[in-house]
Amino acid sequence: MATTPTISDAEWEVMRVVWETSPITANEVVARLASRRGWVPATVRTMLNRLVRKGAITFEREGKRYLYRPSVSQSQCVRFESRSFLDRVFGGVAGSLLNHFVRHTKLSRREIDELKRILDRMEQ
């Protein structure tokens, strides 16, 4: 697919399930989200249909059931959403975003070390 679809917060929940297990039936998606979110089957099926229309997932019919597969990768969607967030909230300035999160997020020693390694590599 040439473009990455815009996915709502609720649709991200459905996509996570499809990314975790693919192919997956609608009933399996419904079961997982009913236990996690308490969503009714009609809600989940509506979101599956929306994601198909957006091109985020595809399906194939196997007997009486539909098997869903992602047509975009999770990393592709994360990159798209990250760029959108960066542009909207920080005017596209990555340094401002990093500065904000480093100052306002509790980081583990491991995360701090990883950030240092990344910055050191970028500096070279």
Side-chain angles (χ1 to χ4, degrees):
M1 145 166 255
T3 60
T4 305
T6 302
I7 299 171
S8 72
D9 291 346
E11 291 166 346
W12 268 91
E13 294 293 321
V14 175
M15 287 301 297
R16 282 188 191 97
V17 171
V18 175
W19 283 318
E20 285 170 12
T21 307
S22 174
I24 188 166
T25 66
N27 287 339
E28 290 169 324
V29 176
V30 166
R32 291 190 189 177
L33 290 172
S35 66
R36 288 185 199 173
R37 294 292 193 183
W39 289 346
V40 297
T43 300
V44 176
R45 291 180 195 283
T46 295
M47 284 190 275
L48 284 168
N49 288 329
R50 282 186 196 153
L51 289 164
V52 167
R53 282 193 308 273
K54 289 180 176 188
I57 60 175
T58 60
F59 70 91
E60 64 184 61
R61 190 169 182 167
E62 186 181 87
K64 291 184 177 184
R65 61 189 197 155
Y66 291 88
L67 294 174
Y68 292 90
R69 289 181 170 81
S71 54
V72 292
S73 69
Q74 186 171 8
S75 63
Q76 181 181 350
C77 290
V78 167
R79 277 191 309 273
F80 177 80
E81 288 294 330
S82 298
R83 173 49 61 184
S84 175
F85 177 77
L86 177 65
D87 291 343
R88 276 190 335 272
V89 179
F90 294 95
V93 181
S96 296
L97 174 136
L98 291 170
N99 189 321
H100 172 80
F101 281 111
V102 167
R103 289 177 186 264
H104 300 287
T105 304
K106 182 158 178 50
L107 299 172
S108 69
R109 180 81 241 157
R110 190 170 143 228
E111 290 168 324
I112 292 168
D113 291 342
E114 179 63 18
L115 283 171
K116 284 179 180 179
R117 277 192 295 277
I118 291 168
L119 292 172
D120 286 344
R121 269 185 267 142
M122 291 180 76
E123 197 172 54
Q124 295 173 358

